[in-house]
Amino acid sequence: MNLHLFIVTGLLVHCVFLASIFDIYFTSPLVHGMTPHYNPLPPPAKRLVLFVADGLRADSLYEIEEDGSPRAPYLRNIIEDKGCWGISHTRVPTESRPGHVALIAGFYEDVSAVAKGWKENPVEFDSVFNESKYTWSWGSPDILPMFAKGASGDHVYTYCYTAEKEDFGAEDATVLDTWVFDNVKNFFHAARSNQTMFSKVNEEKVILFLHLLGIDTNGHAHRPNSREYKDNIRKVDEGIKEIVSLLEDFYGNDGKTAFIVTSDHGMTDWGSHGAGHPSETLTPLIAWGAGLNYPQSVTSQAFEDNFLKEWKLENRKRVDVNQADIAPLMASLIGVPFPLNSVGILPLEYLNNSVHFKAESMFTNAVQILEQFKVKMTQKKESTLSFLFTPFKLLSDSEQIDILRKARSYIQQGKYNDVISLCKTLIILALEGLTYYHTYDRLFLGISIAMGFVGWTSYVILVIIKTHTNLMRTVQNNKASSVFAYGFSAVGIFIAFFLLIQAYPWTYYIYCLLPVPVWYAVVREFPVIQDLATLLLTFPLHQSIGFLFVCALGIEILVFSFFYRSTLTVGLIIFAGWPVITQLWAQAKITAVSWTLLCWLLAMFPLMPVVGREPNISLVTAAGLLILLISVSSLPSLWKSKNKNVHHKDLAILLFQMLSIALSIYVVNTTHSSLQHKQGLPVINQIISWTILASSLVVPLLSPTFLFQRLLSILLSLMSTYLLLSTGYEALFPLVLTGLMFAWINMEQEALQYYGLSLKPKLAILNFSYSTDITQFRQLHLDDTRRSFFFVFFIVTAFFGTGNIASVNSFDPASVYCFLTVFSPFMMGGLLVLKVIIPFVLVSCAFEAVQVTTQLSSKSLFLIVLVISDIMALHFFFLVKDYGSWLDIGTSISHFVLVMSFTIFMMLLNGLAQLLTTKRIELWGVTKYHAT
């Protein structure tokens, strides 16, 4: 199999492995076919007002200012005198769409929604808005349309500002919230003189939804601890006060309006969200008005956190809920059916009503969730062979009937507290059953993926041994190969038939059939396995165990670095001693000293503050000036060699790259200054930034393919873009990393000579474009495993060394402000991924140079890299979990996604590095170079 076909196959296999985690852990929980249920008793409220302050953290709202005054005086007064409060616990992923779906529809959405930017409806679902008589909503075009689109009928009205208003660089993001408040005021002012509108807003079962995006926008732009974020909270507090006063006046203080203030998700200290950190999952909940409880004084409360003391709310009862619980609470207050797919449990402590009403509400809640359980069970039973189906034993059909009959009997007898207790038990059992059937195939799929993983890794190891070593001696037995082919074909047909008769989705065919060809490829190489076993038996046992121990230790260090970034610092310090341990320093003292110093210098970066630090544009400027200094220092050598190896047009390319660096420094500084003064992103800066980005991957292809010249050209081009994406010390990281890469190239050349594997070629005359001569390639040596490990280690360091953390929320939105400030999830995400990839590209190009200097084919070392990264991925696959805190769950999934992304990126970067190092675009005709 040639390299390109192998990479394509590997990419497909790894994309399947990556996608599998979402099919196993993040599939849509929705089922259809249930009937609506609602409380037969009259509701306490005619209308409900829902304020959702997007991106508002619980601590940011509840905490007291330094002078002792509350940050949100009106809402603080509600907590102390008029309503009840608590913390709403959100779930991963902490994004706007899933948060709003949980609040308004009562279920936790799967990650498939991210593919549509959390905006469109990947699946149809019921919501409180859909069940209402009328819903009017004001706010963001990213959120409101999805609930109107999913509604049955034409009773959900939306009023949105334009997407361009969601500008992180705007003068004042609070205008987003002011727009909402002003439009609500105008709406009710107009309703007084419009009889049709007046009659509609005075109907029962009406919902008013105010989506307030300013806090989230200010949090992204300035971070949650900023003055802007906190001032926006005060503005929202004032706006809510005005709207409440307006509505009470409009409805004549009829006492039939319920108010709820909450948030869809929180935000990290560095202005991002998406993962499971408490700053992202803890959101405020304040409720008052019709049907809602008044404040309850208490002397002590049992919570594991210290928030009550910090917020000075020890004497007001705190009632925490899960985010999905808010949907049944809203439905109960205005008397609409509970959303069909809701998994929320009605928080009775928020209700101020009769015990009879509470009992009927809980009974409705239990029946509604039980119906989902019954539909889910029926679906799974119908799609599973009868002798293989294992029902959820804790909630059999007879048990369901018995509990429902008993609950209805208790209601008739007036034993309302017994009804509530019984219904809570039924809800818990039904939810456990829903989870049971939702995860019914998880073990089955997990085993299939694990078998595919192990099989693929085994196959890659056998390919390395067969094609890149001298171990292969046994001749292939074609007859045995044919038997294996028939056997595995039969297995594949059996698996396909097994899946077909159970009507499994098409993705299951991929996951379950993938191990078949992979293991067939492994078994076909049985002679190689025999030769390997024979060879291993010739080595002393302690040597084999020692080698495996060192390999396992190296991989565990890489795995450990995902939990503790400082592990990379320890690794780099150990790397610094490599020349001393191997005696290489004796033959190349200057190179060895450079390697050691640069290892120590790079070792400092994993100890630096993570994302969330304050911007330090001075460091970005310093990095730019340093790279300009390096460029200037290379000019004399290029000028002197003008008539030999370097055409004068190459100097023009270098000068263009230096100009790009200078422009990047200018753009970063002027953009930062403009945004600080809230003047937005200058258009000229935006044009320059996109132009530099577009040219950065093309300009290196114009430079000569001599090893150091091409690597310098790649560094200069990528650094011009990287500076634009930097906000602090990370701008210095590529410089130190590249310095170490140059030292690595020289050290590997010395190592090759030290082990007597090759004569010492002159690095100055090595040419990437000549490296494809297969007659110069050598077979793999044991030391090549170390080279591959170094590469993987440097790739991991390239990620963590720039301040990233092992989480999907490891990004700082401020990084993209030179390119755009208007919210665009895919564009911003693409730029942030580019920032992560640039250090990867530098390492990959250096690795390509190592392969040239050590006279190895690009395929051979890359295969070892693939084995190392796949073992890491398999390790994290088994660490993925769906229990414990949402921080633990989110972190475990983030780790697997990251390491799989690394593997996929490395496969793509292998091709990109070859393109960047070996290809040249001739704009001025063919230039001939002569090595001297």
Side-chain angles (χ1 to χ4, degrees):
M1 188 183 291
N2 64 53
L3 178 60
H4 297 297
L5 180 58
F6 189 88
I7 288 177
V8 171
T9 305
L11 273 174
L12 292 174
V13 169
H14 285 84
C15 286
V16 170
F17 291 156
L18 179 58
S20 70
I21 203 70
F22 298 107
D23 250 347
I24 295 173
Y25 290 94
F26 283 120
T27 50
S28 176
L30 297 187
V31 289
H32 299 284
M34 294 82 66
T35 53
H37 295 274
Y38 59 90
N39 188 337
L41 298 180
K46 289 178 66 176
R47 68 200 71 89
L48 180 135
V49 186
L50 174 64
F51 300 94
V52 177
D54 204 304
L56 176 60
R57 289 162 46 150
D59 58 344
S60 297
L61 179 66
Y62 293 139
E63 67 188 3
I64 299 295
E65 298 282 18
E66 291 179 3
D67 62 2
S69 63
R71 180 160 298 146
Y74 177 72
L75 291 176
R76 184 78 177 199
N77 181 60
I78 294 292
I79 292 171
E80 292 180 348
D81 299 328
K82 293 184 178 180
C84 41
W85 75 285
I87 290 176
S88 169
H89 296 263
T90 71
R91 287 193 185 181
V92 176
T94 45
E95 296 288 348
S96 290
R97 181 198 158 95
H100 281 89
V101 169
L103 285 169
I104 299 163
F107 72 92
Y108 300 105
E109 194 169 30
D110 63 290
V111 174
S112 65
V114 78
K116 295 195 176 182
W118 303 116
K119 296 178 185 178
E120 295 300 322
N121 286 359
V123 287
E124 294 303 318
F125 57 84
D126 190 24
S127 70
V128 178
F129 291 178
N130 186 45
E131 298 292 354
S132 68
K133 183 71 177 287
Y134 295 109
T135 292
W136 285 273
S137 55
W138 296 265
S140 167
D142 296 334
I143 298 299
L144 305 191
M146 69 178 175
F147 292 104
K149 186 176 178 180
S152 57
D154 200 18
H155 63 281
V156 177
Y157 305 101
T158 61
Y159 302 90
C160 307
Y161 39 75
T162 59
E164 287 70 31
K165 284 185 176 289
E166 298 176 20
D167 189 346
F168 295 158
E171 183 177 344
D172 186 8
T174 58
V175 296
L176 298 175
D177 299 336
T178 306
W179 185 96
V180 171
F181 293 133
D182 288 346
N183 274 266
V184 173
K185 292 172 187 175
N186 294 338
F187 173 82
F188 278 94
H189 179 73
R192 289 182 184 275
S193 55
N194 185 322
Q195 189 56 44
T196 304
M197 187 67 72
F198 187 82
S199 61
K200 281 186 176 181
V201 295
N202 277 283
E203 291 273 7
E204 294 183 345
K205 302 176 182 179
V206 165
I207 296 176
L208 305 173
F209 171 41
L210 284 71
H211 176 241
L212 307 166
L213 188 63
I215 292 172
D216 184 72
T217 306
N218 268 318
H220 285 309
H222 306 288
R223 298 184 173 86
N225 293 317
S226 66
R227 177 180 55 80
E228 289 83 358
Y229 185 87
K230 293 173 182 177
D231 285 349
N232 204 150
I233 294 174
R234 294 187 190 94
K235 289 266 187 180
V236 166
D237 183 64
E238 292 167 8
I240 291 173
K241 180 181 179 181
E242 292 171 6
I243 296 300
V244 171
S245 176
L246 169 78
L247 293 175
E248 287 179 344
D249 180 58
F250 184 89
Y251 289 110
N253 292 298
D254 64 353
K256 290 292 182 178
T257 309
F259 300 94
I260 292 178
V261 176
T262 187
S263 175
D264 53 348
H265 56 74
M267 188 174 286
T268 61
D269 289 339
W270 54 90
S272 69
H273 51 81
H277 191 273
S279 62
E280 299 165 273
T281 60
L282 302 184
T283 59
L285 174 61
I286 303 172
W288 72 100
L292 288 157
N293 252 330
Y294 288 98
Q296 298 178 51
S297 298
V298 290
T299 53
S300 64
Q301 301 184 68
F303 287 96
E304 293 181 1
D305 53 61
N306 295 315
F307 292 144
L308 289 169
K309 189 175 181 181
E310 291 173 19
W311 301 335
K312 297 183 179 178
L313 288 168
E314 306 101 311
N315 299 325
R316 287 290 177 266
K317 186 175 182 180
R318 166 181 154 190
V319 182
D320 286 10
V321 301
N322 290 319
Q323 193 173 46
D325 299 343
I326 296 173
L329 174 63
M330 293 191 291
S332 178
L333 287 169
I334 58 174
V336 299
F338 286 30
L340 295 175
N341 298 108
S342 171
V343 293
I345 303 174
L346 180 63
L348 292 178
E349 289 180 281
Y350 275 86
L351 291 179
N352 179 22
N353 217 310
S354 65
V355 186
H356 184 194
F357 180 87
K358 292 180 181 180
E360 287 283 5
S361 295
M362 282 304 294
F363 183 76
T364 304
N365 195 180
V367 171
Q368 169 259 327
I369 292 177
L370 182 63
E371 280 223 4
Q372 293 181 71
F373 166 80
K374 290 159 76 173
V375 171
K376 195 87 169 178
M377 181 183 70
T378 303
Q379 288 180 351
K380 186 53 60 181
K381 193 172 184 178
E382 288 174 351
S383 65
T384 307
L385 295 173
S386 57
F387 66 92
L388 291 175
F389 179 71
T390 307
F392 182 64
K393 294 185 174 64
L394 296 178
L395 197 56
S396 62
D397 291 345
S398 59
E399 184 76 11
Q400 297 170 35
I401 294 167
D402 184 52
I403 293 175
L404 290 174
R405 189 189 299 119
K406 194 179 290 185
R408 181 48 68 189
S409 172
Y410 284 161
I411 289 175
Q412 292 170 354
Q413 296 172 33
K415 298 179 179 178
Y416 301 125
N417 287 322
D418 291 339
V419 174
I420 292 170
S421 176
L422 196 61
C423 287
K424 283 183 178 179
T425 302
L426 179 57
I427 288 172
I428 291 168
L429 287 174
L431 289 175
E432 286 179 6
L434 270 173
T435 302
Y436 172 80
Y437 288 118
H438 186 58
T439 61
Y440 192 83
D441 299 321
R442 185 169 292 178
L443 179 63
F444 161 61
L445 289 175
I447 291 171
S448 296
I449 294 299
M451 286 181 67
F453 247 124
V454 175
W456 170 259
T457 308
S458 304
Y459 174 66
V460 175
I461 292 171
L462 293 174
V463 168
I464 293 170
I465 294 167
K466 181 180 179 181
T467 58
H468 298 285
T469 68
N470 297 316
L471 300 181
M472 183 63 184
R473 294 183 181 84
T474 308
V475 180
Q476 185 92 23
N477 186 331
N478 292 327
K479 187 176 180 180
S481 183
S482 299
V483 173
F484 289 142
Y486 288 127
F488 277 93
S489 297
V491 171
I493 292 169
F494 173 77
I495 291 172
F497 180 71
F498 176 77
L499 296 172
L500 182 66
I501 59 176
Q502 297 192 92
Y504 278 118
W506 64 270
T507 51
Y508 282 39
Y509 289 80
I510 297 174
Y511 304 143
C512 297
L513 290 174
L514 179 64
V516 177
V518 169
W519 277 104
Y520 170 63
V522 171
V523 173
R524 276 192 66 196
E525 305 299 339
F526 186 70
V528 183
I529 299 171
Q530 284 181 310
D531 288 342
L532 178 61
T534 304
L535 179 70
L536 290 176
L537 290 173
T538 63
F539 287 103
L541 184 62
H542 69 276
Q543 276 190 17
S544 300
I545 293 173
F547 177 73
L548 291 174
F549 174 76
V550 170
C551 290
L553 180 64
I555 291 171
E556 284 305 310
I557 287 173
L558 292 173
V559 169
F560 210 63
S561 68
F562 279 71
F563 299 94
Y564 305 99
R565 295 166 69 241
S566 55
T567 308
L568 295 170
T569 298
V570 175
L572 286 164
I573 292 171
I574 294 170
F575 281 9
W578 171 45
V580 178
I581 296 167
T582 58
Q583 302 298 312
L584 282 173
W585 66 274
Q587 72 180 52
K589 288 186 173 59
I590 295 175
T591 305
V593 169
S594 301
W595 165 267
T596 301
L597 290 175
L598 286 164
C599 277
W600 288 344
L601 195 56
L602 195 67
M604 295 167 59
F605 283 91
L607 301 176
M608 298 281 192
V610 296
V611 284
R613 58 195 175 269
E614 285 300 312
N616 191 334
I617 302 303
S618 300
L619 289 176
V620 181
T621 305
L625 294 174
L626 195 56
I627 192 70
L628 277 177
L629 184 63
I630 293 169
S631 307
V632 171
S633 65
S634 68
L635 275 173
S637 61
L638 290 176
W639 187 260
K640 288 175 186 176
S641 58
K642 185 174 69 172
N643 298 322
K644 296 177 183 178
N645 292 337
V646 183
H647 194 275
H648 68 277
K649 297 285 175 58
D650 300 334
L651 290 172
I653 294 168
L654 179 61
L655 291 173
F656 173 80
Q657 292 176 314
M658 291 171 65
L659 176 63
S660 295
I661 295 286
L663 284 172
S664 294
I665 297 171
Y666 166 79
V667 168
V668 166
N669 280 276
T670 54
T671 299
H672 180 71
S673 175
S674 178
L675 293 177
Q676 270 198 326
H677 291 92
K678 297 187 177 178
Q679 295 171 350
L681 170 62
V683 176
I684 185 66
N685 287 16
Q686 194 172 18
I687 293 170
I688 294 171
S689 297
W690 284 106
T691 304
I692 290 172
L693 172 60
S695 66
S696 62
L697 289 176
V698 177
V699 174
L701 301 178
L702 301 174
S703 65
T705 53
F706 289 105
L707 193 141
F708 284 126
Q709 284 177 249
R710 178 53 68 94
L711 290 179
L712 177 63
S713 181
I714 292 168
L715 171 66
L716 294 178
S717 284
L718 295 183
M719 272 302 294
S720 61
T721 299
Y722 198 80
L723 289 173
L724 295 170
L725 293 166
S726 297
T727 59
Y729 74 80
E730 79 270 23
L732 294 164
F733 179 80
L735 289 177
V736 180
L737 179 67
T738 305
L740 183 59
M741 293 301 98
F742 277 112
W744 183 32
I745 294 165
N746 283 281
M747 284 295 294
E748 290 297 357
Q749 187 198 32
E750 297 293 343
L752 205 65
Q753 187 188 21
Y754 180 78
Y755 290 114
L757 296 175
S758 173
L759 296 175
K760 183 177 180 180
K762 289 184 179 179
L763 288 178
I765 64 167
L766 277 178
N767 196 315
F768 280 114
S769 62
Y770 301 155
S771 66
T772 53
D773 183 2
I774 60 172
T775 61
Q776 297 180 6
F777 293 159
R778 62 176 177 82
Q779 296 285 42
L780 284 171
H781 185 265
L782 200 58
D783 195 43
D784 294 319
T785 307
R786 175 196 51 76
R787 292 185 176 92
S788 299
F789 176 76
F790 272 21
F791 171 65
V792 178
F793 188 92
F794 288 138
I795 285 286
V796 174
T797 305
F799 180 76
F800 291 110
T802 53
N804 293 309
I805 56 173
S807 172
V808 292
N809 68 359
S810 179
F811 62 87
D812 185 349
S815 297
V816 304
Y817 289 168
C818 288
F819 294 91
L820 76 164
T821 53
V822 176
F823 179 66
S824 174
F826 289 125
M827 189 72 76
M828 288 179 163
L831 288 168
L832 291 165
V833 168
L834 176 64
K835 182 181 179 180
V836 170
I837 287 177
I838 285 175
F840 289 4
V841 173
L842 294 173
V843 175
S844 297
C845 290
F847 190 54
E848 194 70 22
V850 166
Q851 293 173 97
V852 172
T853 58
T854 55
Q855 298 172 346
L856 279 167
S857 73
S858 57
K859 180 181 177 182
S860 55
L861 280 184
F862 176 71
L863 290 176
I864 302 176
V865 166
L866 205 56
V867 170
I868 295 170
S869 57
D870 278 342
I871 293 172
M872 285 175 61
L874 186 62
H875 195 121
F876 282 115
F877 179 79
F878 288 119
L879 288 177
V880 171
K881 55 185 178 182
D882 63 340
Y883 56 88
S885 72
W886 279 104
L887 178 60
D888 294 338
I889 295 167
T891 300
S892 69
I893 294 168
S894 293
H895 285 170
F896 178 75
V897 170
L898 280 172
V899 77
M900 283 304 300
S901 300
F902 284 174
T903 307
I904 291 170
F905 277 142
M906 282 190 279
M907 299 179 85
L908 294 171
L909 288 173
N910 182 266
L912 180 60
Q914 282 192 32
L915 173 70
L916 285 174
T917 54
T918 61
K919 304 300 178 185
R920 185 174 190 191
I921 300 172
E922 298 287 355
L923 294 181
W924 303 287
V926 178
T927 304
K928 293 183 179 179
Y929 295 112
H930 302 282
T932 56

